[in-house]
Amino acid sequence: MSAVQEAMPAARGSRDATVRRFALTDAIFRALTKAAAILVLVLLGGVAISLIAGSWPALSTFGLSFVGSEAWNPVTEKFGALAPIYGTIITSAIAIVIAVPIGIGIAIFLTELCPRPLRRPIGMAVELLAGIPSIIYGIWGLFVFAPFLQTTVQPFIIWMFHGIPGLNSLFAGPPYGIGLLTSAMILAIMILPFITSITKDVFDTVPSVLKESAYGIGCTTWEVTRRVVIPYTRVGIMGGVMLALGRALGETMAVTFVIGNAHRISASLFAPATTISATIANEFTEAVGDLYTSSLVALGLILFIITFIILAIARYMLLRIDSRAGA
């Protein structure tokens, strides 16, 4: 009896030491994760402050006219961001419109319809597209894709929509090969692996019992995909689309090669144009004078704001979707 009583304080002391050790490791883990989260906010704030400080000379000189002006003349130091903003938004929007249906379609095929021996090779082939450097896409687009469009696709589209109000100006010639539509199509190819891979991964998380139950009551593959798979994974799909959109908004080298780098706005998708990132990449090393450099930094600030607004809209859409699902 005395031996048991003597062992109890030792066991209690060992248990207390273990509890203290767990509490200490938990406190350290919590402090490290909190520091990491704060570091992200500090970095984000530092980038924003740096962009604001660097762009202040241009913004104070031109005011709101900097955003609403199409002029870009380094000789007379007249700068406006409207043409790069227009090119950035249009190319990214067209790329998303092209890539999202194709990417989701590939993901559906790989998870629901593709024979099992072919799933891995096709999936790896799609993912390999994400590993190709953007400059390779740009070189390929300039020397292969753009000439192909110039000699075959664009002349046919111009002829087909000639005389149709609205469409004739949207696809007006001459067929340069390079331009808004070409850069948008290159962007669509570049962001396709992101959409496909993320969508396929979230499709694989759908519980088999849900799909088997739907098939059991007689649903077709289309009905299972539409009524079960996509609603169950809508948040993941939206995340993949936003990741791809962020890549499209900030892409530089591939777009620089094929967009034409012209500071003007045209109704035609075949016309040369420019984007914010392409303008910065082309002209930052040649910027002479504080106002010129500040205008380029202001373009970076505008791209930062555009990205933030788009992400905020996406978050709001996800909240609306979740609230409707909860209702």
Side-chain angles (χ1 to χ4, degrees):
M1 190 68 174
S2 59
V4 175
Q5 290 177 348
E6 291 177 357
M8 289 179 61
R12 189 179 299 110
S14 175
R15 185 188 62 183
D16 293 341
T18 303
V19 171
R20 286 194 299 269
R21 185 173 67 253
F22 286 164
L24 178 61
T25 55
D26 185 67
I28 294 174
F29 177 74
R30 181 176 300 178
L32 289 176
T33 54
K34 184 178 181 180
I38 294 175
L39 178 62
V40 172
L41 296 178
V42 170
L43 291 175
L44 185 62
V47 170
I49 293 173
S50 299
L51 289 175
I52 294 173
S55 61
W56 184 251
L59 297 179
S60 60
T61 301
F62 301 110
L64 292 178
S65 63
F66 180 78
V67 179
S69 174
E70 187 181 344
W72 190 271
N73 192 337
V75 177
T76 60
E77 291 192 330
K78 298 294 183 182
F79 301 104
L82 187 60
I85 293 174
Y86 172 81
T88 300
I89 294 176
I90 295 300
T91 53
S92 300
I94 296 176
I96 287 295
V97 169
I98 295 174
V100 168
I102 297 176
I104 295 178
I106 295 174
I108 293 173
F109 174 76
L110 291 176
T111 55
E112 302 294 333
L113 302 173
C114 182
R116 189 169 296 275
L118 296 179
R119 290 184 181 181
R120 184 177 295 274
I122 296 177
M124 291 180 61
V126 173
E127 293 174 357
L128 283 175
L129 291 175
I132 300 177
S134 60
I135 193 171
I136 302 300
Y137 280 108
I139 294 174
W140 173 78
L142 180 63
F143 293 106
V144 178
F145 193 59
F148 170 74
L149 294 178
Q150 183 182 19
T151 57
T152 57
V153 178
Q154 291 185 356
F156 173 74
I157 294 178
I158 294 172
W159 169 81
M160 183 172 60
F161 293 112
H162 178 71
I164 301 178
L167 294 178
N168 60 344
S169 59
L170 191 63
F171 299 102
Y176 295 106
I178 59 175
L180 277 172
L181 185 60
T182 304
S183 60
M185 295 175 72
I186 294 293
L187 283 178
I189 297 173
M190 295 181 66
I191 65 178
L192 184 63
F194 295 93
I195 299 175
T196 301
S197 297
I198 294 177
T199 305
K200 176 182 176 298
D201 289 340
V202 297
F203 281 176
D204 288 334
T205 64
V206 179
S208 299
V209 64
L210 296 179
K211 295 190 290 185
E212 292 172 358
S213 300
Y215 284 123
I217 61 175
C219 291
T220 63
T221 303
W222 162 248
E223 291 173 329
V224 171
T225 303
R226 181 185 176 188
R227 303 292 185 182
V228 177
V229 177
I230 292 180
Y232 188 88
T233 59
R234 58 186 179 273
V235 175
I237 295 174
M238 183 66 71
V241 172
M242 288 301 105
L243 177 63
L245 181 57
R247 172 69 187 274
L249 287 171
E251 179 54 43
T252 304
M253 294 308 301
V255 174
T256 304
F257 273 87
V258 298
I259 198 169
N261 303 304
H263 283 273
R264 63 174 181 266
I265 297 176
S266 175
S268 175
L269 296 179
F270 295 156
T274 188
T275 63
I276 294 176
S277 55
T279 300
I280 296 174
N282 277 324
E283 304 186 24
F284 201 85
T285 56
E286 302 175 0
V288 178
D290 294 337
L291 189 60
Y292 193 0
T293 303
S294 178
S295 298
L296 293 175
V297 177
L299 289 180
L301 176 63
I302 292 173
L303 182 59
F304 183 86
I305 295 173
I306 291 174
T307 305
F308 178 81
I309 292 174
I310 290 176
L311 292 178
I313 293 174
R315 176 58 58 183
Y316 175 74
M317 291 172 59
L318 289 176
L319 291 176
R320 290 289 302 273
I321 292 174
D322 289 339
S323 63
R324 290 179 181 177

